């Protein structure tokens, strides 16, 4: 289902949307996950090709930052499309960022990097991983909206749930809610499966935290997964 064209916006169309929004004026900061899932299919090189050949009515001020325990800006704001494309290509073979980091903190940091004098400001998140987007979510959503930052994300579908604690001994005072709370569908050591099915079932929509950021800022979540 993740690769069903009816559910997944085609990559070229995603770039068309980003260019269309950016062409309204202002600045765009790409938040890029350089993880193995991105490198495997050469997606950053595809972005570079599209940006380099794009035709826009006015210059687009673009910067790039990579996700991690600390957000790192690898390209300062520029209207030079060739420089933007070259940076995407440079990042294509980069090594994985840390396995665990605070995505919301990266988004919050990214918003502070956008020039306050710009009339329109956009954050565009690109990742092919399913990450937690929960810490301080409402405060960050409110801060983005107040600052006039529009949030866009290009990610795979969220999974139905994350039943990690059902496979481990939770602390006595832990209360699981939402997608962290479901029980396992299959008994432990079930003979026909060694994988919890809820970990692999796509939902048809983006992660709640990303949808919340987009809704609060007038942005959009786009679903994209590489070819199976």
């Amino acid at each position: 289902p993740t690769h069903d064209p009816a559910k997944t916006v085609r990559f070229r169309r995603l770039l068309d949307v980003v260019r269309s929004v950016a062409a309204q004026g202002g600045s765009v900061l790409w938040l890029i996950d350089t993880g193995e899932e991105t490198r495997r299919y050469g997606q950053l090189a595809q972005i570079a090709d599209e940006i380099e050949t794009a035709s826009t009515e006015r210059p687009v001020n673009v910067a790039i930052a990579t996700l991690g325990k600390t957000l790192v800006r690898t390209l300062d704001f520029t209207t030079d499309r060739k420089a933007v494309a070259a940076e995407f290509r440079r990042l294509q073979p980069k090594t994985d960022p840390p396995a665990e980091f605070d995505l919301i903190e990266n988004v919050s940091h990214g918003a502070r990097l956008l020039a306050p004098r710009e009339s329109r400001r956009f954050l565009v998140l690109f990742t092919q991983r399913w990450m937690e987007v929960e810490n301080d979510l409402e405060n960050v959503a409110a801060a983005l909206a107040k600052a006039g930052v529009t949030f866009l994300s290009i990610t795979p579908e969220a999974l139905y749930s994350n039943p990690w604690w059902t496979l481990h001994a939770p602390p006595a005072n832990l209360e699981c809610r939402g997608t962290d709370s479901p029980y396992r569908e299959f008994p432990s050591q079930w003979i026909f499966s060694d994988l919890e099915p809820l970990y692999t079932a796509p939902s048809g929509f983006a992660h709640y935290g990303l949808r919340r950021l987009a809704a609060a800022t007038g942005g959009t979540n786009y679903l994209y997964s590489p070819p199976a």
Side-chain angles (χ1 to χ4, degrees), residues 60-185:
V60 181
N61 208 15
V62 179
I64 301 173
T66 55
L67 302 174
K69 289 189 178 297
T70 301
L71 186 72
V72 177
R73 182 163 55 186
T74 64
L75 180 70
D76 206 350
F77 285 99
T78 178
T79 58
D80 185 346
R81 288 182 298 176
K82 289 188 179 298
V84 174
E87 180 61 15
F88 272 108
R89 294 190 181 100
R90 188 187 73 82
L91 291 175
Q92 180 64 63
K94 288 294 181 180
T95 56
D96 284 349
E100 296 183 5
F101 56 86
D102 191 333
L103 181 57
I104 283 291
E105 175 56 33
N106 278 249
V107 170
S108 180
H109 185 182
R112 296 194 294 271
L113 295 179
L114 289 165
R117 66 181 180 275
E118 297 280 10
S119 59
R120 298 295 304 276
R121 300 187 294 165
F122 302 91
L123 285 177
V124 183
L125 169 69
F126 181 81
T127 180
Q128 288 298 277
R129 291 192 284 177
W130 187 57
M131 291 184 281
E132 299 293 338
V133 193
E134 299 171 357
N135 296 339
D136 206 27
L137 176 60
E138 290 302 320
N139 286 334
V140 172
L144 294 183
K146 183 177 180 180
V149 175
T150 302
F151 178 81
L152 309 172
S153 68
I154 304 172
T155 66
E157 296 171 71
L159 305 181
Y160 267 116
S161 65
N162 180 16
W164 191 88
W165 283 114
T166 67
L167 311 178
H168 302 79
N173 62 346
L174 179 68
E175 181 182 358
C176 291
R177 298 181 179 181
T179 58
D180 291 317
S181 61
Y183 57 84
R184 299 188 71 201
E185 288 194 351

Side-chain angles (χ1 to χ4, degrees), residues 12 14-24 50-51 54-56:
R12 182 176 295 272
L14 288 175
L15 296 176
D16 288 343
V17 171
V18 171
R19 288 197 300 270
S20 174
V21 171
Q24 299 177 46
E50 292 289 337
I51 288 177
S55 175
T56 57

